[in-house]
PDB file of all heavy atoms in Angstrom:
ATOM      1  N   ASN A   3      25.098 -66.993  13.259  1.00 98.00           N
ATOM      2  CA  ASN A   3      25.668 -66.165  12.245  1.00 98.00           C
ATOM      3  C   ASN A   3      26.760 -66.938  11.547  1.00 98.00           C
ATOM      4  O   ASN A   3      28.031 -66.773  11.672  1.00 98.00           O
ATOM      5  CB  ASN A   3      26.310 -64.909  12.981  1.00 98.00           C
ATOM      6  CG  ASN A   3      26.911 -63.960  12.014  1.00 98.00           C
ATOM      7  OD1 ASN A   3      26.794 -64.150  10.856  1.00 98.00           O
ATOM      8  ND2 ASN A   3      27.485 -63.014  12.627  1.00 98.00           N
ATOM      9  N   PHE A  38      20.267 -54.085  -1.074  1.00 98.00           N
ATOM     10  CA  PHE A  38      19.369 -54.039   0.061  1.00 98.00           C
ATOM     11  C   PHE A  38      18.577 -52.655   0.036  1.00 98.00           C
ATOM     12  O   PHE A  38      18.354 -52.145   1.002  1.00 98.00           O
ATOM     13  CB  PHE A  38      20.178 -54.239   1.435  1.00 98.00           C
ATOM     14  CG  PHE A  38      20.692 -55.491   1.742  1.00 98.00           C
ATOM     15  CD1 PHE A  38      22.018 -55.796   1.913  1.00 98.00           C
ATOM     16  CD2 PHE A  38      19.860 -56.636   1.701  1.00 98.00           C
ATOM     17  CE1 PHE A  38      22.621 -57.105   2.078  1.00 98.00           C
ATOM     18  CE2 PHE A  38      20.336 -57.999   1.949  1.00 98.00           C
ATOM     19  CZ  PHE A  38      21.682 -58.151   2.160  1.00 98.00           C
ATOM     20  N   PHE A  74      -5.275 -56.739 -24.354  1.00 92.00           N
ATOM     21  CA  PHE A  74      -5.472 -55.812 -23.394  1.00 92.00           C
ATOM     22  C   PHE A  74      -5.763 -54.461 -23.913  1.00 92.00           C
ATOM     23  O   PHE A  74      -4.827 -53.641 -24.018  1.00 92.00           O
ATOM     24  CB  PHE A  74      -4.161 -55.749 -22.405  1.00 92.00           C
ATOM     25  CG  PHE A  74      -4.057 -56.884 -21.489  1.00 92.00           C
ATOM     26  CD1 PHE A  74      -3.466 -58.185 -21.879  1.00 92.00           C
ATOM     27  CD2 PHE A  74      -4.399 -56.699 -20.128  1.00 92.00           C
ATOM     28  CE1 PHE A  74      -3.318 -59.144 -21.055  1.00 92.00           C
ATOM     29  CE2 PHE A  74      -4.236 -57.845 -19.158  1.00 92.00           C
ATOM     30  CZ  PHE A  74      -3.788 -59.056 -19.670  1.00 92.00           C
ATOM     31  N   PRO A  75      -6.874 -54.274 -24.418  1.00 96.00           N
ATOM     32  CA  PRO A  75      -7.120 -52.930 -25.147  1.00 96.00           C
ATOM     33  C   PRO A  75      -6.836 -51.750 -24.085  1.00 96.00           C
ATOM     34  O   PRO A  75      -7.143 -51.867 -22.894  1.00 96.00           O
ATOM     35  CB  PRO A  75      -8.633 -52.864 -25.558  1.00 96.00           C
ATOM     36  CG  PRO A  75      -9.060 -54.370 -25.424  1.00 96.00           C
ATOM     37  CD  PRO A  75      -8.141 -54.892 -24.442  1.00 96.00           C
ATOM     38  N   SER A 134       7.836 -35.193   1.402  1.00 98.00           N
ATOM     39  CA  SER A 134       6.706 -34.779   0.413  1.00 98.00           C
ATOM     40  C   SER A 134       5.423 -34.807   1.095  1.00 98.00           C
ATOM     41  O   SER A 134       4.515 -33.912   0.993  1.00 98.00           O
ATOM     42  CB  SER A 134       6.680 -35.877  -0.739  1.00 98.00           C
ATOM     43  OG  SER A 134       6.051 -35.330  -1.843  1.00 98.00           O
ATOM     44  N   VAL A 154      -1.301 -28.330  11.257  1.00 98.00           N
ATOM     45  CA  VAL A 154      -0.683 -29.707  11.037  1.00 98.00           C
ATOM     46  C   VAL A 154       0.079 -30.036  12.452  1.00 98.00           C
ATOM     47  O   VAL A 154       1.060 -29.420  12.758  1.00 98.00           O
ATOM     48  CB  VAL A 154       0.362 -29.652   9.834  1.00 98.00           C
ATOM     49  CG1 VAL A 154       0.983 -31.082   9.736  1.00 98.00           C
ATOM     50  CG2 VAL A 154      -0.374 -29.236   8.569  1.00 98.00           C
ATOM     51  N   ASP A 199      -0.046 -49.338  13.625  1.00 98.00           N
ATOM     52  CA  ASP A 199      -1.263 -50.028  13.754  1.00 98.00           C
ATOM     53  C   ASP A 199      -2.400 -49.362  13.002  1.00 98.00           C
ATOM     54  O   ASP A 199      -3.144 -48.628  13.708  1.00 98.00           O
ATOM     55  CB  ASP A 199      -1.540 -50.319  15.189  1.00 98.00           C
ATOM     56  CG  ASP A 199      -2.729 -51.209  15.476  1.00 98.00           C
ATOM     57  OD1 ASP A 199      -3.568 -51.443  14.558  1.00 98.00           O
ATOM     58  OD2 ASP A 199      -2.676 -51.806  16.534  1.00 98.00           O
ATOM     59  N   GLU A 277     -18.442 -40.843 -15.704  1.00 95.00           N
ATOM     60  CA  GLU A 277     -19.325 -41.963 -16.052  1.00 95.00           C
ATOM     61  C   GLU A 277     -18.993 -42.591 -17.425  1.00 95.00           C
ATOM     62  O   GLU A 277     -18.970 -41.809 -18.571  1.00 95.00           O
ATOM     63  CB  GLU A 277     -20.749 -41.492 -16.110  1.00 95.00           C
ATOM     64  CG  GLU A 277     -21.765 -42.444 -16.462  1.00 95.00           C
ATOM     65  CD  GLU A 277     -23.117 -41.763 -16.565  1.00 95.00           C
ATOM     66  OE1 GLU A 277     -23.484 -41.262 -17.665  1.00 95.00           O
ATOM     67  OE2 GLU A 277     -23.847 -41.764 -15.533  1.00 95.00           O
ATOM     68  N   GLY A 287     -20.639 -30.677 -17.505  1.00 94.00           N
ATOM     69  CA  GLY A 287     -21.166 -31.119 -16.415  1.00 94.00           C
ATOM     70  C   GLY A 287     -20.513 -32.420 -15.937  1.00 94.00           C
ATOM     71  O   GLY A 287     -20.701 -33.513 -16.590  1.00 94.00           O
ATOM     72  N   ASP A 293     -17.604 -45.500  -8.367  1.00 96.00           N
ATOM     73  CA  ASP A 293     -16.609 -46.139  -7.452  1.00 96.00           C
ATOM     74  C   ASP A 293     -15.305 -45.304  -7.399  1.00 96.00           C
ATOM     75  O   ASP A 293     -15.356 -44.228  -7.839  1.00 96.00           O
ATOM     76  CB  ASP A 293     -16.458 -47.645  -7.733  1.00 96.00           C
ATOM     77  CG  ASP A 293     -15.725 -47.982  -9.037  1.00 96.00           C
ATOM     78  OD1 ASP A 293     -15.069 -46.971  -9.620  1.00 96.00           O
ATOM     79  OD2 ASP A 293     -15.836 -49.091  -9.647  1.00 96.00           O
ATOM     80  N   LEU A 325       5.574 -64.438   1.235  1.00 98.00           N
ATOM     81  CA  LEU A 325       6.502 -63.327   1.344  1.00 98.00           C
ATOM     82  C   LEU A 325       6.710 -62.741   2.791  1.00 98.00           C
ATOM     83  O   LEU A 325       7.805 -62.519   3.125  1.00 98.00           O
ATOM     84  CB  LEU A 325       6.090 -62.080   0.332  1.00 98.00           C
ATOM     85  CG  LEU A 325       6.163 -62.499  -1.135  1.00 98.00           C
ATOM     86  CD1 LEU A 325       5.340 -61.498  -2.009  1.00 98.00           C
ATOM     87  CD2 LEU A 325       7.680 -62.557  -1.606  1.00 98.00           C
ATOM     88  N   ASP A 342      25.051 -59.397  16.780  1.00 97.00           N
ATOM     89  CA  ASP A 342      26.083 -60.434  16.879  1.00 97.00           C
ATOM     90  C   ASP A 342      27.457 -59.569  16.758  1.00 97.00           C
ATOM     91  O   ASP A 342      28.432 -59.636  17.488  1.00 97.00           O
ATOM     92  CB  ASP A 342      26.061 -61.589  16.051  1.00 97.00           C
ATOM     93  CG  ASP A 342      27.197 -62.656  16.310  1.00 97.00           C
ATOM     94  OD1 ASP A 342      27.550 -62.920  17.496  1.00 97.00           O
ATOM     95  OD2 ASP A 342      27.737 -63.034  15.358  1.00 97.00           O
ATOM     96  N   LYS A 372      28.866 -43.349  15.459  1.00 88.00           N
ATOM     97  CA  LYS A 372      30.302 -43.278  15.486  1.00 88.00           C
ATOM     98  C   LYS A 372      30.747 -43.506  14.072  1.00 88.00           C
ATOM     99  O   LYS A 372      30.898 -44.707  13.627  1.00 88.00           O
ATOM    100  CB  LYS A 372      30.792 -44.325  16.485  1.00 88.00           C
ATOM    101  CG  LYS A 372      32.256 -44.128  16.925  1.00 88.00           C
ATOM    102  CD  LYS A 372      32.601 -45.182  17.960  1.00 88.00           C
ATOM    103  CE  LYS A 372      34.061 -45.661  17.790  1.00 88.00           C
ATOM    104  NZ  LYS A 372      34.229 -46.789  18.669  1.00 88.00           N
ATOM    105  N   LYS A 376      31.343 -43.064   7.205  1.00 96.00           N
ATOM    106  CA  LYS A 376      32.480 -43.714   6.812  1.00 96.00           C
ATOM    107  C   LYS A 376      32.182 -45.223   6.725  1.00 96.00           C
ATOM    108  O   LYS A 376      32.489 -45.866   5.752  1.00 96.00           O
ATOM    109  CB  LYS A 376      33.500 -43.426   7.789  1.00 96.00           C
ATOM    110  CG  LYS A 376      34.865 -44.139   7.420  1.00 96.00           C
ATOM    111  CD  LYS A 376      35.656 -43.400   6.365  1.00 96.00           C
ATOM    112  CE  LYS A 376      36.870 -44.296   5.979  1.00 96.00           C
ATOM    113  NZ  LYS A 376      37.134 -44.174   4.582  1.00 96.00           N
ATOM    114  N   VAL A 412      26.738 -62.522   4.225  1.00 98.00           N
ATOM    115  CA  VAL A 412      27.854 -61.794   3.635  1.00 98.00           C
ATOM    116  C   VAL A 412      27.853 -60.294   3.985  1.00 98.00           C
ATOM    117  O   VAL A 412      28.939 -59.717   4.215  1.00 98.00           O
ATOM    118  CB  VAL A 412      27.858 -62.021   2.102  1.00 98.00           C
ATOM    119  CG1 VAL A 412      28.856 -61.219   1.411  1.00 98.00           C
ATOM    120  CG2 VAL A 412      27.967 -63.450   1.872  1.00 98.00           C
TER     121      VAL A 412
END
Side-chain angles (χ1 to χ4, degrees):
N3 182 11
F38 291 126
F74 285 83
S134 202
V154 181
D199 186 337
E277 177 186 86
D293 66 20
L325 289 165
D342 183 47
K372 196 171 144 195
K376 179 75 189 148
V412 178

